[in-house]
Amino acid sequence: MTDTVVIHKGALQKVSPFLWPSSLDLKLGLLHEDSTAAPTVDDEFVSDLIPASNEMDSAEYARATLASKTATFNGTTDLWELSSATVTFAALTGGETLVPGISGYFLYANVSGDDTLSILIRTVVYDTVEDLNGSDYLVAPHSSGWLTVGQA
């Protein structure tokens, strides 16, 4: 079985390797265990994917900002690899009213803290829910980054 990974086409039109490391406020949010999120490539904004009922709900949870962002050109594949450090959500135990588990995550470019303006980049829905146990919850980019971008 395989996780569902969606790269949103709006991101491909608006996210540049030249903006990734320095100009974009990139954030990562978590989908809770009972989320019904069904991402499509046509979802453009965070609000298209994330009504409050899909996102993790816990006093200890807040969306995380990506750190150590890099844009590296891979001469072998002729692709830009857009990456960052692993994202850590400290000591998550689950929501007060939710079964404690994570069903996926969403990566986006934050625009003024407004989900109706913030651009979805990548959404992953796990094939199997990952349980929370009070330890740090880590989300790492793929070995080639969160997103690879080719030259037109």
Side-chain angles (χ1 to χ4, degrees):
M1 297 184 173
T2 306
D3 296 341
T4 301
V5 179
V6 176
I7 304 298
H8 302 279
K9 66 182 177 184
L12 295 176
Q13 298 164 350
K14 297 175 182 160
V15 175
S16 157
F18 303 104
L19 296 176
W20 182 273
S22 59
S23 300
L24 295 175
D25 178 18
L26 299 172
K27 294 194 175 274
L28 195 81
L30 300 175
L31 301 173
H32 70 73
E33 180 173 85
D34 297 326
S35 169
T36 58
T40 72
V41 296
D42 293 320
D43 293 331
E44 186 173 0
F45 302 106
V46 173
S47 60
D48 294 335
L49 177 69
I50 305 299
S53 61
N54 284 327
E55 189 170 5
M56 180 69 183
D57 178 21
S58 173
E60 63 220 3
Y61 165 76
R63 295 177 184 175
T65 301
L66 271 63
S68 303
K69 298 176 289 186
T70 60
T72 306
F73 185 75
N74 182 325
T76 303
T77 62
D78 287 335
L79 296 172
W80 283 95
E81 297 173 348
L82 308 181
S83 196
S84 76
T86 295
V87 177
T88 301
F89 292 90
L92 290 178
T93 58
E96 287 77 15
T97 60
L98 299 174
V99 176
I102 301 297
S103 66
Y105 66 85
F106 56 100
L107 171 66
Y108 67 101
N110 182 39
V111 178
S112 302
D114 185 341
D115 285 352
T116 65
L117 300 174
S118 294
I119 302 165
L120 277 172
I121 296 171
R122 173 186 173 125
T123 302
V124 174
V125 177
Y126 301 147
D127 182 54
T128 303
V129 169
E130 295 185 358
D131 291 330
L132 297 174
N133 59 13
S135 299
D136 291 351
Y137 184 77
L138 307 176
V139 182
H142 184 271
S143 61
S144 60
W146 297 107
L147 181 67
T148 54
V149 180
Q151 300 182 58

